Amino acid sequence: MAAKKKQSSKIFILDTNVLLHDHKCLYNFEDNDVILPIVVLEELDKFKKGNDQINFQAREFVRIMDKLSGEKLFSDGVSLGVDKGRLFIATGKPFPQILEDSFSDRTPDHRILAIALHVAEKFEKRTVILISKDINLRMKAKSLGLKAEDYETDKVKNIEILHKGVETHDNFDASIIDQLYQKGTVPRESFPMDEEATPANQYFVLRNSSQSVLAWFDPFSNSIRRVEKHGAYGIEPRNAEQAFSLNALLNPEIRLVSLTGKAGTGKTLLALAAALQQHKMYKQILLARPIVPLSNRDLGFLPGDVNEKIGPYMLPLFDNLSVIKNRFSGQSRELAAIEEMQKREELIITPLAYIRGRSLSDVYFIVDEAQNLTPHEVKTIITRAGEGTKMIFTGDIHQIDSPYLDMQSNGLAYLTDKMKGQDLFAHVNLIKGERSYLAELASDLL
């Protein structure tokens, strides 16, 4: 490594999962140097083949490395660009005694730790930090006296928006509430709240001592409008949050919606009911969810054909469809319409992996369990949207199955944070569970 590098800059050593999370990660360390342990490139080879997002990330990173390749990678390093640091590849290093005493197995993670210890000792006047999304590896590094951090670039700094329930404003001007009931709308310039408190498609409850009203800011008409409680395909909203959700789901001008909340709050059910209510406006309704975090390799261990393999993973979506079907009698037009849509493949429940690569036009697209997607996966999905497509992302940021995502780094939180205030986007966080009193009690106490 170049000896003349300023001592105030840092050295970051990257774990494999960082590259698989964000293939452009090399360019996010400002003017600091980046080291890739050779074992990381070795591990990367295992992920290059496949059709899942993790395989895409691996292939894209390999392409970036191909452009940066050269003999200097192993000596003086190569520049990552203007005002950036240099990239180095570190070959394997002997295990120091402190590593042997703590971890006898020579696993890839421990080989990375051996390189990190070597670099920290060689450049003792510079700050050396191991970057990994693996909590266990970070803990192991700290036990050896190494600095270790998570990859923070795409983390949401303030996730308060994902915890807040319905915004309620008490002691509100009674004349404004009366106007909303009489006319259904109030011009933005006449509304006594500043613009920061009313970003695009912001929902809130306005109250005074005698009455209350559900309202939202409509950016297209630049006015505050009353939210009426309308049902959708047999599903009626049971609380203000659900009424707000249906308002966003049924509004054709809002093309992107995120619904967050704990289990039993009705996120997926409301999204599906709204889709069925508007099925004549779209060529197809797609419901998708990630089968398992990062890839669907485990499908090979289940017996049966493709449909039998994916069936158990899709059951939650089929359960929501059954709830809606049970609202109607066997001879009803609504039930016949659902069955006809399924026959014509106008209503499809499918794993998310089968959606990638498609161009989606005039589709009502619901992505369930979106908290298990990375920010890049969410971006990839949304960029598939063609003309006339509406996308709904639902999930609970407290129930993340992926070992390398958390409440701040998952795609659902990232989407909600970055899109807030955009005219085409709306977000509602549902607090109150409506599945049953037992489910609500368990969610709160267990």
Side-chain angles (χ1 to χ4, degrees):
M1 188 177 292
K4 61 183 180 181
K5 182 73 178 181
K6 60 181 181 180
Q7 294 183 0
S8 61
S9 70
K10 301 173 183 177
I11 301 174
F12 291 100
I13 301 171
L14 306 188
D15 188 10
T16 314
N17 49 58
V18 178
L19 319 181
L20 297 174
H21 181 81
D22 178 6
H23 66 270
K24 296 181 179 179
C25 62
L26 294 177
Y27 302 104
N28 293 328
F29 294 94
E30 299 178 339
D31 63 344
N32 302 295
D33 288 333
V34 177
I35 292 180
L36 288 181
I38 193 76
V39 63
V40 166
L41 299 181
E42 182 183 317
E43 285 194 297
L44 209 60
D45 269 338
K46 303 173 185 176
F47 295 97
K48 288 192 300 183
K49 295 181 180 178
N51 298 317
D52 294 310
Q53 191 63 30
I54 194 171
N55 310 120
F56 167 82
Q57 296 276 21
R59 290 191 292 269
E60 288 299 299
F61 184 81
V62 169
R63 292 187 181 102
I64 290 174
M65 286 299 298
D66 185 48
K67 294 177 182 178
L68 295 171
S69 63
E71 293 182 3
K72 290 187 177 181
L73 271 173
F74 299 90
S75 54
D76 297 330
V78 295
S79 173
L80 289 170
V82 180
D83 297 326
K84 300 290 183 184
R86 301 183 73 78
L87 172 67
F88 301 81
I89 293 179
T91 54
K93 304 300 177 187
F95 273 41
Q97 191 59 46
I98 186 175
L99 191 58
E100 293 277 14
D101 292 342
S102 297
F103 313 109
S104 57
D105 295 334
R106 300 207 169 200
T107 63
D109 279 357
H110 298 158
R111 291 165 63 189
I112 292 172
L113 288 176
I115 290 173
L117 285 167
H118 173 82
V119 173
E121 183 179 339
K122 183 177 181 181
F123 301 96
E124 57 182 11
K125 292 185 178 181
R126 294 177 64 185
T127 301
V128 177
I129 304 173
L130 174 64
I131 303 296
S132 176
K133 300 199 71 64
D134 186 338
I135 298 174
N136 284 340
L137 181 57
R138 297 203 302 266
M139 292 298 292
K140 289 178 180 180
K142 291 174 182 178
S143 74
L144 299 172
L146 293 167
K147 290 182 179 292
E149 297 177 1
D150 194 358
Y151 181 65
E152 302 280 350
T153 297
D154 55 10
K155 280 203 169 188
V156 176
K157 304 302 180 187
N158 182 8
I159 58 171
E160 182 185 357
I161 184 178
L162 298 173
H163 293 298
K164 290 194 302 184
V166 174
E167 283 202 10
T168 303
H169 301 277
D170 295 314
N171 302 316
F172 206 79
D173 188 340
S175 64
I176 298 291
I177 296 179
D178 288 338
Q179 187 175 346
L180 283 169
Y181 273 110
Q182 293 168 10
K183 298 182 178 179
T185 182
V186 174
R188 179 66 191 81
E189 57 269 18
S190 303
F191 197 71
M193 287 171 61
D194 58 40
E195 291 187 7
E196 284 191 9
T198 55
N201 302 309
Q202 176 68 48
Y203 293 92
F204 36 76
V205 180
L206 307 178
R207 285 179 179 166
N208 60 31
S209 57
S210 59
Q211 56 186 340
S212 65
V213 65
L214 307 183
W216 66 294
F217 173 51
D218 180 2
F220 298 99
S221 64
N222 195 33
S223 62
I224 308 300
R225 299 177 62 182
R226 180 187 169 199
V227 174
E228 298 185 30
K229 289 188 176 181
H230 291 301
Y233 228 76
I235 302 299
E236 298 292 334
R238 294 186 177 183
N239 54 52
E241 300 151 8
Q242 291 191 351
F244 291 152
S245 299
L246 280 175
N247 178 271
L249 293 166
L250 294 170
N251 187 339
E253 293 182 315
I254 298 175
R255 313 305 302 182
L256 179 63
V257 179
S258 73
L259 300 180
T260 56
K262 62 187 178 183
T265 51
K267 305 178 297 294
T268 309
L269 180 63
L270 292 169
L272 178 55
L276 293 170
Q277 183 71 26
Q278 304 169 91
H279 71 271
K280 292 182 180 179
M281 296 171 56
Y282 300 92
K283 291 180 180 177
Q284 196 174 51
I285 298 171
L286 288 178
L287 289 86
R289 71 197 307 253
I291 289 181
V292 291
L294 300 180
S295 76
N296 62 353
R297 295 187 303 274
D298 289 343
L299 286 182
F301 296 101
L302 293 174
D305 60 22
V306 173
N307 290 326
E308 289 173 324
K309 286 174 184 287
I310 69 173
Y313 294 101
M314 297 297 108
L315 277 177
L317 298 181
F318 284 109
D319 288 344
N320 281 284
L321 185 59
S322 295
V323 170
I324 295 175
K325 284 183 174 181
N326 290 335
R327 299 274 169 163
F328 306 104
S329 66
Q331 306 302 318
S332 68
R333 287 185 302 170
E334 291 85 356
L335 187 60
I338 293 175
E339 292 175 350
E340 187 65 22
M341 280 189 279
Q342 287 184 288
K343 286 179 182 178
R344 294 182 178 180
E345 295 192 342
E346 294 172 0
L347 172 60
I348 298 177
I349 296 176
T350 181
L352 191 58
Y354 293 4
I355 300 298
R356 294 190 183 102
R358 293 184 57 184
S359 179
L360 305 172
S361 298
D362 297 311
V363 171
Y364 198 103
F365 188 20
I366 302 169
V367 180
D368 196 27
E369 301 291 343
Q371 77 277 6
N372 286 320
L373 300 172
T374 68
H376 191 273
E377 285 177 307
V378 167
K379 178 182 177 181
T380 300
I381 294 166
I382 295 175
T383 54
R384 296 291 172 191
E387 287 296 323
T389 288
K390 181 162 183 166
M391 291 195 162
I392 318 298
F393 290 81
T394 71
D396 179 3
I397 62 169
H398 297 281
Q399 291 190 355
I400 296 173
D401 300 316
S402 170
Y404 301 133
L405 297 176
D406 58 30
M407 288 173 62
Q408 293 176 278
S409 64
N410 69 87
L412 182 59
Y414 186 79
L415 161 69
T416 304
D417 179 65
K418 295 298 182 183
M419 284 290 183
K420 183 182 179 183
Q422 297 297 313
D423 291 354
L424 297 177
F425 173 75
H427 167 257
V428 180
N429 183 43
L430 295 100
I431 301 292
K432 187 178 180 182
E434 296 289 354
R435 183 170 288 163
S436 68
Y437 176 70
L438 174 60
E440 175 79 354
L441 192 65
S443 181
D444 291 338
L445 299 181
L446 299 183

